[in-house]
């Protein structure tokens, strides 16, 4: 949540990348509307969409509406230069840019059923008041998802460390001796 982890895409990604259990993304807008998405796919960075037909997007407030997959396209989740659900590569149906400002919630796309995710007066644009991602599915499923996230972080940390290690230090020594 923003309250505990800050208002940044980097912190959001750190919190969810590698998590392999089902999750619910809940967004409260500054206008008081609540919308989000449910997914069962492992979170990963990708320029391309990924995910499966077990997910959906929704509006919780002011009305409850669920927009299930249409089966026409498979643009479920994209986590790269922001977080997107549905829509197209250039304009996901729900889109939170890396800046987490001027977000979008469209009316239709070919991945999820048509309908207003935000009330008409919101004009498809919103600012985030809070955003939370919850692991769901029972204690064992959540433990497995968290273990997957730990493994992902260990691999990422190892790769970062390997990239920092200079194997041939002779060029550095030559610079110092000049």
């Amino acid at each position: 949540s923003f309250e505990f982890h800050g208002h940044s895409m980097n912190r959001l990604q750190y919190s969810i990348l590698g998590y392999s259990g089902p999750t619910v993304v809940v967004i409260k807008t500054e206008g008081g509307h609540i919308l989000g998405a449910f997914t069962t796919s492992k979170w990963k960075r990708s320029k391309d969409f990924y995910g499966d037909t077990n997910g959906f997007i929704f509006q919780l407030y002011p009305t409850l509406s669920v927009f299930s997959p249409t089966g026409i396209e498979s643009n479920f989740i994209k986590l790269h230069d922001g977080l997107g659900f549905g829509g197209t590569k250039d304009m996901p149906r729900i889109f939170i840019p890396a800046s987490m400002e001027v977000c979008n919630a469209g009316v239709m796309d070919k991945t999820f059923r048509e309908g207003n995710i935000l009330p008409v007066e919101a004009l498809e644009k919103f600012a985030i008041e809070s955003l939370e991602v919850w692991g769901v599915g029972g204690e064992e499923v959540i433990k497995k998802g968290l273990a997957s996230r730990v493994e992902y972080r260990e691999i990422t940390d190892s790769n970062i460390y390997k990239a920092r290690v200079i194997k041939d230090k002779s060029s550095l020594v030559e610079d110092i001796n000049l």
Side-chain angles (χ1 to χ4, degrees):
S1 79
F2 282 8
E3 182 179 339
F4 297 108
H5 299 107
H7 188 151
S8 114
M9 183 59 67
N10 185 41
R11 293 302 306 160
L12 174 63
Q13 288 184 3
Y14 180 78
S15 296
I16 63 176
L17 284 171
Y19 187 87
S20 64
T23 51
V24 176
V25 178
V26 179
I27 304 161
K28 183 175 183 184
T29 72
E30 288 182 354
H33 309 110
I34 301 174
L35 63 140
F38 169 81
T39 181
T40 59
S41 300
K42 182 175 183 173
W43 287 96
K44 64 181 181 177
R45 272 193 204 105
S46 178
K47 291 180 182 180
D48 299 317
F49 281 93
Y50 63 95
D52 59 42
T53 58
N54 293 319
F56 55 86
I57 57 178
F58 58 85
Q59 178 191 104
L60 274 178
Y61 185 83
T63 60
L64 174 60
S65 300
V66 175
F67 307 96
S68 55
T70 62
I72 297 171
E73 288 192 1
S74 56
N75 296 346
F76 298 107
I77 308 165
K78 183 178 140 196
L79 182 59
H80 179 62
D81 53 352
L83 173 59
F85 298 94
T88 66
K89 186 176 183 181
D90 296 326
M91 181 49 69
R93 171 101 172 257
I94 297 176
F95 184 63
I96 301 166
S99 67
M100 300 186 96
E101 298 173 353
V102 190
C103 304
N104 188 72
V107 174
M108 56 189 257
D109 71 297
K110 293 182 181 178
T111 301
F112 297 106
R113 208 180 79 232
E114 183 178 335
N116 290 326
I117 300 171
L118 291 174
V120 175
E121 65 270 13
L123 300 175
E124 299 184 1
K125 301 290 182 195
F126 66 93
I128 300 172
E129 180 179 310
S130 65
L131 184 151
E132 295 191 9
V133 180
W134 299 330
V136 296
E139 190 173 332
E140 288 303 313
V141 172
I142 292 171
K143 281 182 183 179
K144 183 178 175 187
L146 289 170
S148 175
R149 185 180 72 176
V150 167
E151 181 181 335
Y152 172 86
R153 287 179 179 175
E154 288 172 352
I155 291 168
T156 301
D157 290 347
S158 173
N159 289 337
I160 290 170
Y161 177 77
K162 287 176 187 174
R164 288 180 180 162
V165 173
I166 301 171
K167 294 185 185 205
D168 182 9
K169 297 177 178 116
S170 62
S171 63
L172 293 175
V173 174
E174 288 174 14
D175 288 344
I176 293 172
N177 290 332
L178 293 177

